[in-house]
Amino acid sequence: MDAVKIWGKTLRAAMRLNVVKVSRAEFLEKELGHYCAPATIEKIISGEEKTYNLIPIETLDHVAAGCINYQTTVACSIAAVAGVPGGLGLALAIPADLAQFYGNILALSQKLMYIYGWPDIRDKKGEIDDATLQVLTLFVGVAMGCKEAGKAINAILAKLSDQLIRNIPEKLVTHSAFYSVVRQVASWIGIKISKESLAKGIGKAVPLIGAPINAGMTYYTFKPMANRLKKHLRSQALTNIGQLGLKLC
């Protein structure tokens, strides 16, 4: 199967999972409510202010680390269960396992985006359209170490004005040049997924030890991806803080 189609199939399967449904407003209220007043959170949710303008970067890092640890635990727990079947169960277990893995990556991507100041990626109905899926593809690419994905995300962020923005403008993600980059990143991810499927399949095929192997492989894959994405988004926030002449707490 074509690498782009492999990622497209995995992405569609992952997006059907409940874990991917992250409400920006509810998430920020829950995670930032321990550190700032409701009025401050309301300014952030409305788009009037960015998180990094009102909250110390160390606090944002702490919240991000907690989200990473939680999502990693969820991904590994599911992987352990998915790693139990061997033999005939193998063909069904791998697609579900991959969908769960990337579903958690997509969920974490949204959480880290919102922590470090990005606007809502969902429309007014709380849905994610095809154009926004392209943006999420880029974030997965960054998590997996794709440099082109990182450049594309930086380009998107550079075009977001400092004015009141609640959602990523559609015109930023429908340009033909942008689509071409997304397709390259999707192909790159698809190739990586093919290799992961083979490695996971070998672990699952061994009865009894398949579960711990699968959970271990998930941990040592998921955690570095999560930290890589956090580092990228944090660096963007620090750059914006520097440009605004704000002091880092």
Side-chain angles (χ1 to χ4, degrees):
M1 185 183 295
D2 177 76
V4 174
K5 291 182 178 179
I6 290 175
W7 168 239
K9 182 177 180 181
T10 304
L11 178 59
R12 287 192 296 273
M15 291 302 298
R16 288 195 289 267
L17 303 175
N18 287 330
V19 69
V20 182
K21 299 176 182 178
V22 179
S23 166
R24 178 175 179 271
E26 292 178 4
F27 170 73
L28 290 175
E29 287 177 352
K30 177 182 177 182
E31 296 298 330
L32 302 182
H34 303 291
Y35 306 100
C36 51
T40 299
I41 298 177
E42 180 56 35
K43 288 183 179 181
I44 293 172
I45 291 175
S46 69
E48 182 180 346
E49 291 284 356
K50 304 292 186 183
T51 52
Y52 49 74
N53 289 350
L54 303 177
I55 301 174
I57 194 68
E58 286 85 0
T59 299
L60 298 180
D61 290 343
H62 179 72
V63 175
C67 290
I68 289 175
N69 290 336
Y70 170 78
Q71 220 69 53
T72 301
T73 300
V74 173
C76 290
S77 298
I78 295 174
V81 175
V84 172
L88 295 177
L90 181 60
L92 294 177
I94 291 180
D97 191 13
L98 283 174
Q100 292 286 355
F101 180 91
Y102 285 98
N104 278 282
I105 285 292
L106 292 167
L108 181 62
S109 296
Q110 294 172 72
K111 293 178 180 180
L112 294 179
M113 288 170 67
Y114 300 151
I115 289 171
Y116 289 109
W118 276 69
D120 205 335
I121 64 170
R122 296 175 180 270
D123 60 25
K124 295 180 180 179
K125 296 181 180 180
E127 302 295 330
I128 292 181
D129 57 22
D130 290 340
T132 308
L133 285 178
Q134 296 179 21
V135 177
L136 286 176
T137 293
L138 293 178
F139 274 95
V140 173
V142 170
M144 297 178 74
C146 179
K147 294 182 179 180
E148 291 303 316
K151 293 178 182 178
I153 287 179
N154 289 341
I156 293 175
L157 188 62
K159 291 183 178 296
L160 293 179
S161 70
D162 293 328
Q163 301 175 357
L164 183 66
I165 294 181
R166 292 184 176 86
N167 302 88
I168 297 176
E170 184 178 355
K171 64 181 181 180
L172 294 181
V173 295
T174 55
H175 196 279
S176 58
F178 176 81
Y179 175 76
S180 177
V181 173
V182 172
R183 185 173 178 81
Q184 292 177 31
V185 174
S187 177
W188 189 86
I189 295 174
I191 293 173
K192 290 282 188 178
I193 289 177
S194 298
K195 295 179 180 179
E196 289 176 7
S197 297
L198 177 61
K200 286 179 178 292
I202 293 174
K204 290 173 185 288
V206 183
L208 299 180
I209 66 171
I213 287 179
N214 203 42
M217 291 177 65
T218 296
Y219 179 86
Y220 287 108
T221 302
F222 193 97
K223 197 67 177 286
M225 288 176 64
N227 287 329
R228 192 179 294 120
L229 183 55
K230 175 194 171 185
K231 180 179 179 180
H232 187 89
L233 287 166
R234 186 182 193 276
S235 68
Q236 289 182 330
L238 288 176
T239 298
N240 289 332
I241 291 173
Q243 291 174 345
L244 292 172
L246 301 177
K247 294 182 179 180
L248 301 183
C249 300

